[in-house]
Amino acid sequence: METILKHKNNLLIQGEIISVCGSVIDAWFKNNLLPIYTLLHTGKDKKIAIEVLTQLEAHRIRGIALMPTQD
C-alpha cells in the first residue's frame, strides 16, 4: 500500500491508500479523519496531490488526485 501524508501544525499525519480508480483515491487513517478539502501528498517525492472530497467512514476518506496517479 502507498503511504499518504499530511502535514498539520508541524505534525505528520500518515495513512494508507486502499484503492485507486483513475483519479479517485480511497485512503485510510488510523487516528485522524481529515476534513473535506484537505490537501494530501503521496507518490515519488510526494508530488501527487490529493484533495479530500468526502468522509466515507470513521477512518476512511475519498479524494481526487489533482495530477496523474501513474508514476
Side-chain angles (χ1 to χ4, degrees), residues 17-64:
I17 293 177
I18 54 177
S19 81
V20 178
C21 184
S23 61
V24 178
I25 311 288
D26 286 359
W28 184 85
F29 293 87
K30 181 177 181 179
N31 297 321
N32 300 84
L33 184 60
L34 299 175
I36 294 173
Y37 305 123
T38 300
L39 187 61
L40 309 171
H41 297 280
T42 191
K44 293 180 183 177
D45 300 323
K46 308 301 176 218
K47 290 185 178 181
I48 298 175
I50 300 167
E51 183 178 6
V52 176
L53 295 179
T54 189
Q55 300 166 337
L56 298 173
E57 297 171 353
H59 298 280
R60 195 166 62 124
I61 61 96
R62 180 163 289 156
I64 187 93

Side-chain angles (χ1 to χ4, degrees), residues 4-15 29 31-32 34 38-41:
I4 191 165
L5 304 171
K6 168 64 180 153
H7 291 278
K8 182 178 181 181
N9 300 329
N10 294 326
L11 297 175
L12 183 65
I13 298 171
Q14 186 172 348
F29 293 87
N31 297 321
N32 300 84
L34 299 175
T38 300
L39 187 61
L40 309 171
H41 297 280

